[in-house]
Amino acid sequence: MATITGIQPRVLVRASGGPRYVVALAVDALGTGLLRPTLLLYGVTVLRLSAPVTGTAMTVGIVAGLVCMPSVGRWLDRGARSTVVAASMLVRVLGVALLLAAPEGHIWLFATASLFLGIGNQAWPAAHAALVATVAHGRERDTALAGARALRNAALGVGALLATACMAGGTTALRALAAVTALAYLAAAALAWSVHVHAHPAEAAPAKDRDDEPAPRMLALLAANVIYVFCLNVPEIALPLVLVTQLHASPVWPAVVFVSNTALVVTLQVPVTVLMSPFSRRTVLALSGVVLAASYLGFLAATSLGHGWATAAVAAVSVVCTIGEIIYAGSATALVTAIAPTHVLGRALARFQLSTGFGLAVSPAVITTLAPHGPAALWGSLAAATLLSASAVATEKDQATRFSGCRPRARAGL
């Protein structure tokens, strides 16, 4: 039976990699949801490290994880798909194992664990997108990518709720959560590897050409994406900072905004992506920038209201920001998979993930630097930069290549 979006669940699951792969995505996200809210606390309470040292080690691990992306891209371009996804999960098993093995006060083991977790977290999006692009094509592929994001957000939310409920158990509970996370990653890796998806290089492209042909440069898209991804940290960093420290609202409000963001992504990611399908992906991505910029200006206007109204107004505008995020997430990766020739898809996705990872890494520092200078500095700067990025996306021309029509053949045991 079809859903209101016109997409049959069975078709969506098949386009997403099959039942086992979908279960792998859910289990992996559940493990990440368990670990992400507790990693800093693990370093501070279990390993007795200072908060600044722990935070610095986590940041360095995330940034250093980006270094692996060129190698991941080349691995994908040799045809690997489910193997790379499984590897991104297995390397996080190693990271959690190092966490469990680290004695109190041992910063280097914690930093190394953060590095392996960073590598896995950075490698997974590109590997997942390449796998979906191999088993699904056209708008079905876009919907499958959107469905995976909705599923992942739901599982992340469940994992975070479970982690929050267990935090009262102290260090023993934190160690137990880490152990459960490792088992979740291990189970997810086994399930992902078992689907055996591999892309056969297109016969129309000689081996030498496949190795030498560069990936599309996509300079405007990559630069714009660095700004676009700031929207992902608005609910987690910018709004809590504004609501609690500037508007002096109850800490309940940031929680309400975050839960609302997660619920909207879970429920609307697929329907909105399908709704936008009549339009070109580039047009939709540019539109998302306009919606995000409008929401930033909305935050600016909301914070100028009296304290009695400002908090509720900020929460209301956050819904518009989430809609912009949903439109962005449903079109950005889909655009890369559509414009990149098959034989360099891995490298193109790796470059895109580099821009995403860089934007996510620098956005907290940028947001926290701009916020003390007032709402105009924060929201005005974000709005201007996002509008400029949307303009760059809209005007960039897709690179034509002589291999752009080649598609891989998938060998999958689904």
Side-chain angles (χ1 to χ4, degrees), residues 141-199:
R141 175 194 60 220
D142 299 6
T143 307
L145 290 170
R149 183 170 191 259
L151 174 65
R152 184 168 179 80
N153 272 265
L156 282 169
V158 172
L161 286 174
L162 291 174
T164 302
C166 294
M167 282 182 189
T171 59
T172 301
L174 289 174
R175 287 188 179 277
L177 283 173
V180 172
T181 299
L183 292 175
Y185 286 154
L186 187 62
L191 285 167
W193 177 83
S194 71
V195 303
H196 300 304
V197 175
H198 187 89

Side-chain angles (χ1 to χ4, degrees), residues 375-398:
L378 174 60
W379 301 118
S381 298
L382 286 179
T386 305
L387 280 177
L388 182 63
S389 299
S391 176
V393 167
T395 56
E396 185 180 37
K397 301 297 182 182
D398 295 337

Side-chain angles (χ1 to χ4, degrees), residues 51-153:
V53 167
T54 304
T56 300
M58 290 171 61
T59 301
V60 170
I62 293 171
V63 174
L66 291 170
V67 177
C68 75
M69 290 313 301
S71 297
V72 171
R74 288 191 293 270
W75 192 6
L76 290 169
D77 285 338
R78 288 197 291 269
R81 292 292 187 267
S82 55
T83 303
V84 186
V85 174
S88 73
M89 297 169 176
L90 283 173
V91 74
R92 283 178 285 175
V93 175
L94 180 57
V96 179
L98 289 174
L99 279 182
L100 292 169
E104 287 187 12
H106 205 298
I107 180 59
W108 293 110
L109 270 181
F110 180 82
T112 305
S114 298
L115 172 62
F116 284 122
L117 290 169
I119 290 173
N121 290 332
Q122 300 296 345
W124 181 85
H128 164 71
L131 186 147
V132 173
T134 304
V135 300
H137 307 297
R139 295 297 179 172
E140 187 180 75
R141 175 194 60 220
D142 299 6
T143 307
L145 290 170
R149 183 170 191 259
L151 174 65
R152 184 168 179 80
N153 272 265

Side-chain angles (χ1 to χ4, degrees), residues 320-341:
V320 180
C321 186
T322 300
I323 297 299
E325 174 193 334
I326 289 170
I327 299 173
Y328 156 70
S331 57
T333 302
L335 176 60
V336 176
T337 61
I339 66 177

